[in-house]
Amino acid sequence: MIYLDNGATTFPKPKSVINSVNYALRNGANPGRGGHNLAIKSSEIVYNTRSLLADFFNSGDPSNVIFTLNCTEALNIVIKGILNPGDHIIISSMEHNAVLRPVEKLKEKRISCTVAEIAEGDSEKTLDNFRNAINEKTRLVVCTYASNVFGIKPPVERICAMCHQYGILNCVDCAQAAGIVPIDLSDSSIDFLCGAGHKSMYGPMGTGFMIINCDTIPDTLIEGGTGSSSYDYKQPEILPDRFESGTGNFIGIAGLSGGIRFINSIGIDKIYKKEMRLVKSAYQSLKNMNNVVLYTDEPDNYNYVPVLSFNIKNIDCETAADILNSKFNIATRAGLHCAPLAHKSKNTLDKGGTVRIVPSAFTTENDIKTLVNAVYKIK
Amino acid sequence: MDNLIKLSSVTQAMKARDILRKHGISSKIHRIPAVKGKGACSYGLLINNKLDKAVEILRNNNIKVTGRADIQ
């Protein structure tokens, strides 16, 4: 199979991930609970992954790295833990349901929202749209680092810096960018970085993280046992315990360390350039086909991540993806990609979405050529 | 006899251990049992010597030391 659904989760996983998972399964007890050797060993594995993530994003203190089940949970913690009744939030027009749905839920608690349009290729216009959406009640801005449907990168750093000028907190959904685009939090205005461990970080599914890069600590989403301060009925304030109640995905966290080591062994810049070259190659071939509709400008290395959406004329996207799968053994993702806002902004909502391809470090030029030839044959 | 530096969680204990290691002080993670009124369910570091220096280093690195004790 040619696997181009890496935007949903990367496949295959690197050997380092498989080895780490295998080791954890054979050597893992509950971390941060007991004092016996196996528990301490497991705690070391979790701490090692936490430290690797802190180094990967240059965020300093590993305590500020919070493990979650996925990026959605991390975003929920920030959105629901920061906003209070009467507050206002701004989200971008490319947000995933991981942002849109928590915000919709909060509307029941008198929290209002404005959607700021991301203008593709026009940073100034995008920035103006966010600035114009600010009002005296705006408490939080949530923006994707890159669209999970169209690969478009808004000027996130400038948006976050603008937030600070207005005394507003910001949160960035890095699900589709972490592991592909270098992000240096020591030189960043990002307050909360939320990421998925199983996408371009190459870890197992069921892993996500939130990195706190500011002095504001959100309220908790859940409370419970942390293995610390157990006489105290109240949730500990100390990080990361405050947000890590209950037994976490220890096996997944161990695997994530293998993913980070895999990226570091190749180099994130190299991975990004390679994947962008593949997506550009696909774009250039597909744009010359009369039966194909593309929705973005040609991707470049500054304004896009390696994510490409298209449709085949007169064939709905689900059927096209089904043909690619059944006749050509190519895995793509069709539909709305859990991002109706993004499809609305590109007028693909009524079409039922698009076919999306996302390469990984394992994708080859031949894979892309095979995809292009297959699309050419579908009429 | 070992000296015990009490910390608030296993993450803090491991962070503290790494910081002390950079300063040439070796230590070992140790589980602190629940004792009512004296804090509970936490972790600390066992060190052989340089206790005062270790505590000072940790405080300078914003690591909260919740207590210290001698272990027989």
Side-chain angles (χ1 to χ4, degrees), chain B residues 5-66:
Chain B
I5 298 174
K6 296 180 182 177
L7 298 147
S8 49
S9 73
V10 72
T11 306
Q12 295 300 308
M14 289 178 176
K15 195 168 84 175
R17 177 201 56 194
D18 290 353
I19 289 168
L20 291 181
R21 189 183 289 153
K22 284 178 186 168
H23 286 80
I25 299 174
S26 62
S27 60
K28 188 183 174 191
I29 303 290
H30 181 76
R31 170 79 175 163
I32 299 173
V35 180
K36 195 164 186 180
K38 293 185 177 179
C41 287
S42 190
Y43 291 81
L45 293 178
L46 287 172
I47 63 174
N48 288 320
N49 50 34
K50 300 181 184 173
L51 177 65
D52 290 337
K53 189 181 176 190
V55 170
E56 186 188 347
I57 289 168
L58 295 180
R59 284 185 174 146
N60 289 341
N61 281 275
N62 297 317
I63 304 279
K64 187 181 176 187
V65 174
T66 60

Side-chain angles (χ1 to χ4, degrees), chain A residues 141-292:
Chain A
V141 168
V142 182
C143 187
T144 185
Y145 200 101
S147 164
N148 69 309
V149 184
F150 299 104
I152 297 165
K153 268 168 63 184
V156 158
E157 278 298 344
R158 293 183 66 190
I159 292 167
C160 292
M162 184 191 71
C163 287
H164 286 185
Q165 286 175 356
Y166 287 87
I168 298 167
L169 291 166
N170 66 70
C171 172
V172 180
D173 175 357
C174 293
Q176 219 65 46
I180 297 175
V181 183
I183 301 170
D184 182 349
L185 287 177
S186 73
D187 185 31
S188 170
S189 297
I190 294 174
D191 291 324
F192 301 98
L193 184 154
C194 298
H198 66 102
K199 298 190 182 198
S200 39
M201 298 295 289
Y202 292 92
M205 285 177 271
T207 56
F209 52 89
M210 167 180 74
I211 303 179
I212 300 173
N213 196 39
C214 63
D215 294 330
T216 303
I217 307 300
D219 199 355
T220 51
L221 206 59
I222 63 164
E223 299 80 29
T226 57
S228 54
S229 307
S230 297
Y231 272 120
D232 198 341
Y233 287 7
K234 289 185 178 173
Q235 187 74 358
E237 295 290 329
I238 193 146
L239 299 177
D241 298 35
R242 179 174 170 79
F243 297 105
E244 294 185 357
S245 291
T247 298
N249 182 4
F250 164 66
I251 305 299
I253 290 167
L256 179 55
S257 73
I260 299 166
R261 288 198 306 274
F262 170 75
I263 297 166
N264 288 339
S265 70
I266 297 174
I268 191 168
D269 288 324
K270 203 172 169 184
I271 292 173
Y272 181 58
K273 282 175 186 167
K274 178 200 168 173
E275 291 185 18
M276 284 306 296
R277 196 170 61 242
L278 293 172
V279 162
K280 279 188 234 178
S281 164
Y283 186 98
Q284 285 161 3
S285 299
L286 293 174
K287 79 175 180 184
N288 293 321
M289 293 184 194
N290 292 330
N291 64 328
V292 172

Side-chain angles (χ1 to χ4, degrees), chain A residues 119-139:
Chain A
E120 183 182 358
D122 191 340
S123 294
E124 296 303 328
K125 180 81 166 35
T126 301
L127 210 59
D128 280 348
N129 291 342
F130 276 85
R131 188 181 291 110
N132 293 335
I134 294 172
N135 66 40
E136 71 277 6
K137 292 180 177 174
T138 306
R139 171 98 168 117

Side-chain angles (χ1 to χ4, degrees), chain A residues 11-144:
Chain A
F11 178 88
K13 299 300 181 189
K15 276 185 184 169
S16 55
V17 173
I18 295 166
N19 290 341
S20 296
V21 166
N22 195 328
Y23 181 84
L25 281 167
R26 290 167 184 273
N27 295 280
N30 202 331
R33 301 299 194 265
H36 55 83
N37 290 346
L38 214 53
I40 297 292
K41 202 174 194 178
S42 302
S43 300
E44 294 281 5
I45 290 172
V46 172
Y47 184 72
N48 177 49
T49 309
R50 210 183 292 283
S51 299
L52 279 170
L53 272 171
D55 289 344
F56 191 81
F57 292 102
N58 205 10
S59 62
D61 189 349
S63 308
N64 291 338
V65 175
I66 315 297
F67 288 119
T68 58
L69 286 178
N70 42 52
C71 189
T72 297
E73 187 187 7
L75 288 161
N76 267 265
I77 291 171
V78 178
I79 293 166
K80 292 175 179 168
I82 292 293
L83 295 172
N84 293 306
D87 285 343
H88 173 250
I89 179 175
I90 300 169
I91 66 173
S92 89
S93 58
M94 294 278 172
E95 293 311 306
H96 190 276
N97 276 342
V99 171
L100 183 61
R101 285 180 172 170
V103 169
E104 282 298 308
K105 179 71 180 173
L106 288 180
K107 285 181 180 174
E108 296 168 8
K109 296 182 179 174
R110 292 191 299 106
I111 287 163
S112 58
C113 173
T114 301
V115 176
E117 188 73 25
I118 291 175
E120 183 182 358
D122 191 340
S123 294
E124 296 303 328
K125 180 81 166 35
T126 301
L127 210 59
D128 280 348
N129 291 342
F130 276 85
R131 188 181 291 110
N132 293 335
I134 294 172
N135 66 40
E136 71 277 6
K137 292 180 177 174
T138 306
R139 171 98 168 117
L140 179 67
V141 168
V142 182
C143 187
T144 185

